Amino acid sequence: MTKTALITGVAGQDGSYLAELLLPKGYTVDGLVRGSSSYNLGRISHLNHDVHDEDARFFLHHGDVADGSRLITLLSRVAPDEVYNLAATSHISLSFAEPELTGMTSGSSATRLLEAIRMVGLPTRYYQASTSAMFGAAAAPQDETTPLQPVSPYGAAKAYAYWMTRSYREAYGLYAVNGIAFNHESPRRDESFVTRKIAMGAAAIAAGRQDFLYLGNLDAERDWGYAKEYVEGMWAMLQADEPDDFVLATGTPYTVRDFLDFCFSAVGLDWEKHVKFNDRYLRPAEVDALVGDASKAARELAWRAHVTTPDLARLMTEAEVAALAGPV
Ligand code: GDD
């Protein structure tokens, strides 16, 4: 039987990889994109969403997760078997500048969707894109039992969404799960996140297009995996017999400094000669170490991250070098 999935944030990094995963499985995919006069559909433009093509199984809908009535209309119309709530204001620095908006998009969007599913009365399975940012100040390594201690408006908003997801599961018996994803990156990552910024900087410096890269805290430890693998974990969570919450992570910590080393080595450069500190990239509060223990996902979903952080850094840098070289 063909399934239908609704993905919020379908034009983002994870949304685009998830649509690519689901379409070959036979899914019809409905994606929510923010209404705007200029669309940023670069990551999904290769997927057939031609409304005139009878074979197309990928449909885009305008809407915003801040608009509850729109979500109810859309859910009634699409009647999805699965909803993946990936839309968010996901940049942590930006969440300090726009704390209230972050609450609406990254926090209460979950409540709007869960309430819409309940109101419409669909047997829909719901995936909430929860995040390691919810752990904040909690000591690493973190797993599903680690208490949440968010230190940013983004982390706090996501913690609210996490608890609402659990609450709807417990109160109403909804099949609703939290995937607690640690940092996951790719060549499709927005340019302002540190991994893509470093990969782009290394490639541009190697090509002689710039001399320096400006960064903030290089001591932060993260657990960086490949986003393409993480969407497989998201899908697996919605196929399980019982709804539950899972950490997705590589389990191996590296510092921003290490990531610099991996990317600059990939283009034969010494990063120390090209990186300068700039305090504009510091945050009002920092998360020192996020390192996930994903053994529950390995045990119960047979999900594992195979791409290591050094491999990921190389893959991202090579993609930037190729992009600068242009089409062959
Ligand atoms: N973005 C950025 N830009 N970060 C920098 C810079 C810089 O110039 N210099 C140093 N950093 C440090 C940040 O201070 C942080 O400690 C680390 O690099 C990673 O920053 P980001 O790539 O912005 O990721 P994040 O860990 O803050 O948040 C990401 O991961 C979360 C999961 O843990 C985002 O993807 C969140 O949406 C996600 O939930």
Side-chain angles (χ1 to χ4, degrees), residues 264-300:
F264 277 75
S265 299
V267 288
L269 292 175
D270 175 359
W271 69 267
E272 303 211 40
K273 297 190 175 133
H274 298 281
V275 172
K276 292 189 177 182
F277 171 76
N278 192 299
D279 64 6
R280 67 184 297 139
Y281 300 112
L282 296 179
R283 296 160 182 191
E286 176 64 293
V287 172
D288 295 328
L290 292 174
V291 189
D293 174 354
S295 40
K296 182 176 167 188
R299 208 171 46 243
E300 297 184 24

Side-chain angles (χ1 to χ4, degrees), residues 47 53 56 68 82 91 103 157 169 173 177 181 199 207 226 229 282 293 324:
L47 299 173
D53 181 347
E82 298 171 5
H91 202 282
R169 180 164 84 216
V177 307
Y226 186 25
E229 295 190 318
L282 296 179
D293 174 354
L324 284 182

Side-chain angles (χ1 to χ4, degrees), residues 90-92 131-133 154 183 189 192-194 197 214-217 220 222 256 281 283 286 290:
S90 63
H91 202 282
I92 289 181
T131 159
S132 51
Y154 170 76
N183 297 47
R189 193 58 149 142
S192 56
F193 292 95
V194 83
K197 185 172 168 182
Y214 296 89
L215 293 172
N217 175 19
R222 290 290 184 275
V256 175
Y281 300 112
R283 296 160 182 191
E286 176 64 293
L290 292 174

Side-chain angles (χ1 to χ4, degrees), residues 43 45 125 233 303 305:
R43 297 184 183 94
S45 54
R125 294 186 169 203
W303 180 89

